[in-house]
């Protein structure tokens, strides 16, 4: 989930009538952390447009389902969340510690599941 796509491998291993399901973040994904880490950059607002376009270059889009909800978090979950997300890569220690010190009670999950099949050849 949310991993970079290996499109050549998808194509190689997918049967002609098979489907691929990819999960990509939407604009609200972990917005509470994004606001702290990227408040003064263009990463403050996220768009998955490029990811979706790349998916469509490789597959015919069959369906797209958006999942958006907020989930409760407690203090013991903040550090694992901060450490697991690639959003924290390259973030300075000051901003990393600011996120760890936040009193978050909820975090936003905002994802799209895109379903595709091999491009029609014809």
């Amino acid at each position: 989930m949310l991993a970079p796509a290996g499109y050549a491998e998808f194509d190689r291993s997918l049967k002609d009538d098979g489907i691929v399901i990819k999960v990509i973040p939407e604009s609200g994904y972990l917005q509470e952390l994004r606001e702290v880490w990227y408040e003064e950059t263009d990463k403050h607002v996220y768009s998955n447009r490029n990811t979706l376009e790349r998916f469509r270059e490789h597959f015919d889009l069959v369906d797209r389902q958006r999942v958006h909800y907020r989930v409760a978090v407690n203090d013991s979950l903040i550090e694992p969340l901060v450490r697991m997300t690639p959003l924290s890569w390259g973030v300075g220690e000051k901003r990393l510690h600011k996120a760890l010190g936040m009193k978050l009670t909820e975090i936003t999950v905002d994802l799209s599941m895109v379903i595709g099949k091999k491009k029609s050849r014809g």
Side-chain angles (χ1 to χ4, degrees), residues 47-64:
S47 169
N48 64 13
R49 185 177 51 98
N50 292 340
T51 303
L52 191 55
E53 284 176 10
R54 184 147 189 238
F55 185 87
R56 286 182 167 159
E57 288 171 10
H58 294 272
F59 298 101
D60 288 330
L61 186 64
V62 174
D63 197 7
R64 179 178 178 186

Side-chain angles (χ1 to χ4, degrees), residues 28-45:
Y29 181 68
L30 301 181
Q31 68 188 17
E32 298 80 2
L33 297 177
R34 187 181 305 280
E35 288 170 1
V36 171
W37 290 336
Y38 302 120
E39 63 188 341
E40 297 167 5
T41 73
D42 61 349
K43 290 183 178 182
H44 181 257
V45 176

Side-chain angles (χ1 to χ4, degrees), residues 67-80:
V67 177
H68 184 273
Y69 60 94
R70 295 182 50 82
V71 64
V73 293
N74 60 43
D75 289 342
S76 68
L77 296 176
I78 300 299
E79 185 165 0

Side-chain angles (χ1 to χ4, degrees), residues 2 25-39 41 43-47 80-92 95-96 99 107-108 110-111:
L2 302 171
E26 284 286 350
S27 60
Y29 181 68
L30 301 181
Q31 68 188 17
E32 298 80 2
L33 297 177
R34 187 181 305 280
E35 288 170 1
V36 171
W37 290 336
Y38 302 120
E39 63 188 341
T41 73
K43 290 183 178 182
H44 181 257
V45 176
Y46 175 75
S47 169
L81 174 66
V82 164
R83 302 283 182 199
M84 76 88 194
T85 179
L87 290 176
S88 66
W89 298 353
V91 172
R95 289 185 190 253
L96 196 62
I107 195 85
T108 303
D110 189 12
L111 306 166

